[in-house]
Amino acid sequence: MASTTVVIDMPVERTIQQHPNTSSNDSIPLRDRSNQNQVTFGDLEEDTGAAVDVLQRWNYPRINIYRLAAIFFAFLNFGMNDGSYGALVPYIEADYDLSYTVTSLVFLSPFAGYTVAALFSDRLHLFFGRRGIALLAPSCKVVAYVVIATHPPYPAVVAILALAGLGNGLVDAAWNAWIGGLAQTNQLLGLLHGLYGLGATISPLISTSMITKASLGWWTFFYLMAALCAMEVVIGSAAFWSETGTKYTDVNRANGEEKGMTRQALKKKVTWICAGFLLCYVGLEVSLGGWIVNFMIRVRHGEPFSSGMTATGFWLGITVGRVILGFITAKTGERIAVSVYLLIAVGCELIFWLVPQFIVSAVAVSLLGFFIGPIFPSTVIAVTKLLPSDMHVAAIGFSAAIGGGGAALLPFAVGAIAQAKGPATLQPIVLALLALLIGVWLTLPRMPKHLQKGSITSAYWLAMERSSDLAVGGGSPPELAVLTGPTRKEGNYRATVGALLRVATSL
């Protein structure tokens, strides 16, 4: 029986393995395969299984296990940084005798660092590779946290937080893009951002306990953060030591375009929509997490410790939501799932706002966190589905960094408004942001049909769309490079579809 070769390009780091019985001329690519992983089926037989090489999963090659663990640890630290603000703001305000507006500068100053990360993330990858990011990003945070731990004057705290913002912006961009290129992206990004949420959950608990139970200064929390980020330098650089700038360039710029990828990504409407969406989303997340303690103390009249625990409940909701709802999102598709989550979140926010009871507010804000939890990873996945793979680092890096800007600008704006109108203004601001998120999300282009749902459906559409038209260079989807050979034969067609579904089931 004649031989048939199927090559499927997937947005993962490029590695080619050819079946020994397949000649080099059996498959002809329709487009450049830079930064693309390939699953190759050789000698598909009607009565035998296909030879399959599935590359760049979370556990293959084996080094990916250690890299994933290092990234998870980095995002745990990232979450601890963002989650600490809500618990520490009341004590920073009292320590330096500040107004709401001046206190809000701790949210605004990291924006400068996020801006630098947005503009230069892709260029840093080209020069230093992922090894450089693993060294530079946590080192910036170590320096910032050591300075803060010395309890400097408030202007020095504000200034040095810009360096921490640079470190977090680089972490956010690089590791979201790397995991976004692996198989089982929904589940892995759900776990990644679940670790972020876990860090943001335990951070208020630790910092509040240090202040209220151990009678320590608010700044002592940053000794712990500095130690954790020093560990992140060692763990991350060891895991990505072989990922140099030269290797990154060879893999991701095989078409010779080594510069200007950020510029190209910025020409895409998807990049700007996702950047604007993440600016609002991350701003909402950090504004609520950052000011909830103040709101619960001054508006709901709670005790300092119990009010601090509401921030823990909010971040715990985000953590659990990202882990659990990530699996549901993978089945329903990002567009529908995110729309539903946001509508439910609006209902939770209305309960939080309109029922003036401490317990009800604490439960409602936890549920709100649960339903907005998977939104960030779902947005990253949308970018990877709607843009070419060589733009992923630039587009995700820019969008994530702009999202980090939202984490700086919107909490600052909330503080400034609270200074003028009182902390109760938090609720209408959150509701307005949720409504804005729904509107922006619906402007996102529709996903290609073969990428709308989980891997089994994707493989089905890939097979069905090509089974009737096998002309090289014709039709879509672009992720399917080519099917060559006499696949119109009944047996070969069934073998092709069967192989695709078997691989999809294994993902």
Side-chain angles (χ1 to χ4, degrees):
M1 183 172 291
S3 171
T4 302
T5 301
V6 180
V7 179
I8 301 174
D9 282 349
M10 304 173 68
V12 193
E13 186 171 319
R14 185 184 182 210
T15 307
I16 302 177
Q17 294 189 11
Q18 183 156 331
H19 191 272
N21 294 329
T22 306
S23 69
S24 60
N25 296 323
D26 283 340
S27 61
I28 304 172
L30 294 180
R31 63 187 178 91
D32 178 73
R33 296 178 184 170
S34 60
N35 196 29
Q36 302 290 311
N37 178 35
Q38 298 166 18
V39 181
T40 302
F41 311 97
D43 290 340
L44 295 180
E45 298 284 337
E46 180 177 270
D47 54 351
T48 62
V52 179
D53 293 311
V54 181
L55 306 176
Q56 289 299 308
R57 295 166 60 87
W58 69 270
N59 57 353
Y60 183 85
R62 186 166 294 275
I63 187 63
N64 281 358
I65 298 175
Y66 306 105
R67 289 173 179 170
L68 194 65
I71 291 173
F72 281 174
F73 182 67
F75 262 67
L76 180 72
N77 293 339
F78 186 12
M80 290 186 68
N81 174 86
D82 285 0
S84 66
Y85 291 131
L88 296 178
V89 157
Y91 303 100
I92 296 174
E93 178 187 346
D95 183 29
Y96 292 107
D97 192 22
L98 305 172
S99 66
Y100 286 146
T101 303
V102 177
T103 305
S104 299
L105 290 173
V106 299
F107 297 106
L108 183 62
S109 65
F111 179 65
Y114 276 106
T115 301
V116 173
L119 295 176
F120 296 103
S121 177
D122 189 59
R123 186 64 58 86
L124 288 171
H125 275 78
L126 291 172
F127 282 113
F128 305 110
R130 294 189 177 97
R131 177 173 69 185
I133 300 297
L135 284 167
L136 177 62
S139 296
C140 291
K141 295 189 288 181
V142 170
V143 173
Y145 296 148
V146 168
V147 172
I148 296 173
T150 64
H151 194 203
Y154 185 68
V157 173
V158 173
I160 201 65
L161 281 174
L163 189 61
L166 172 61
N168 285 325
L170 292 174
V171 164
D172 206 8
W175 303 149
N176 271 296
W178 188 80
I179 290 184
L182 298 179
Q184 296 178 302
T185 305
N186 258 299
Q187 293 86 339
L188 290 174
L189 281 174
L191 291 173
L192 175 70
H193 289 274
L195 265 294
Y196 170 91
L198 177 61
T201 300
I202 64 176
S203 180
L205 179 62
I206 295 171
S207 57
T208 302
S209 298
M210 291 174 68
I211 296 169
T212 62
K213 303 299 182 182
S215 300
L216 298 173
W218 62 267
W219 57 90
T220 57
F221 174 73
F222 289 94
Y223 284 112
L224 173 63
M225 292 301 301
L228 290 173
C229 288
M231 293 173 59
E232 184 183 334
V233 173
V234 176
I235 295 171
S237 60
F240 285 94
W241 192 255
S242 62
E243 295 293 308
T244 63
T246 301
K247 181 177 180 180
Y248 180 86
T249 301
D250 291 343
V251 170
N252 292 274
R253 300 291 189 270
N255 58 1
E257 296 183 13
E258 299 188 3
K259 298 181 180 180
M261 195 52 63
T262 299
R263 189 180 298 110
Q264 292 184 39
L266 293 181
K267 294 178 181 178
K268 301 291 185 179
K269 181 175 70 172
V270 170
T271 303
W272 287 100
I273 292 175
C274 290
F277 183 81
L278 289 182
L279 184 145
C280 296
Y281 168 75
V282 179
L284 163 68
E285 182 183 83
V286 178
S287 296
L288 195 52
W291 289 104
I292 184 63
V293 177
N294 196 292
F295 176 87
M296 297 299 278
I297 290 174
R298 304 198 178 194
V299 179
R300 295 291 185 257
H301 308 295
E303 295 296 323
F305 183 78
S306 57
S307 297
M309 292 304 98
T310 59
T312 297
F314 171 70
W315 290 110
L316 180 61
I318 286 180
T319 304
V320 176
R322 283 174 174 168
V323 173
I324 294 177
L325 295 180
F327 291 89
I328 297 175
T329 304
K331 301 299 181 182
T332 61
E334 290 76 25
R335 187 179 180 87
I336 295 175
V338 170
S339 301
V340 172
Y341 299 154
L342 286 172
L343 288 173
I344 298 174
V346 168
C348 294
E349 170 56 27
L350 288 172
I351 295 173
F352 183 23
W353 183 11
L354 300 177
V355 182
Q357 296 181 12
F358 186 92
I359 297 298
V360 174
S361 296
V363 173
V365 78
S366 298
L367 290 174
L368 176 59
F370 177 81
F371 285 105
I372 68 172
I375 290 177
F376 193 107
S378 296
T379 308
V380 173
I381 293 166
V383 173
T384 64
K385 290 183 176 181
L386 292 170
L387 291 178
S389 62
D390 54 358
M391 292 186 185
H392 287 175
V393 168
I396 294 173
F398 179 80
S399 299
I402 294 299
L409 294 173
L410 292 182
F412 173 78
V414 170
I417 295 171
Q419 177 68 34
K421 303 295 183 180
T425 54
L426 175 66
Q427 302 306 328
I429 293 173
V430 170
L431 186 62
L433 286 173
L434 287 170
L436 181 60
L437 283 172
I438 294 174
V440 174
W441 181 256
L442 294 178
T443 66
L444 202 65
R446 291 189 177 275
M447 308 286 179
K449 185 179 292 185
H450 65 284
L451 295 176
Q452 286 179 4
K453 297 182 182 179
S455 56
I456 293 178
T457 307
S458 301
Y460 170 80
W461 283 110
L462 286 172
M464 295 305 291
E465 288 183 8
R466 281 295 187 179
S467 63
S468 59
D469 183 6
L470 301 176
V472 175
S476 60
E479 284 71 19
L480 183 61
V482 66
L483 278 76
T484 60
T487 53
R488 288 191 181 277
K489 290 186 178 181
E490 179 81 21
N492 282 349
Y493 171 75
R494 289 203 302 267
T496 301
V497 176
L500 286 166
L501 294 178
R502 280 197 295 276
V503 173
T505 305
S506 70
L507 294 179

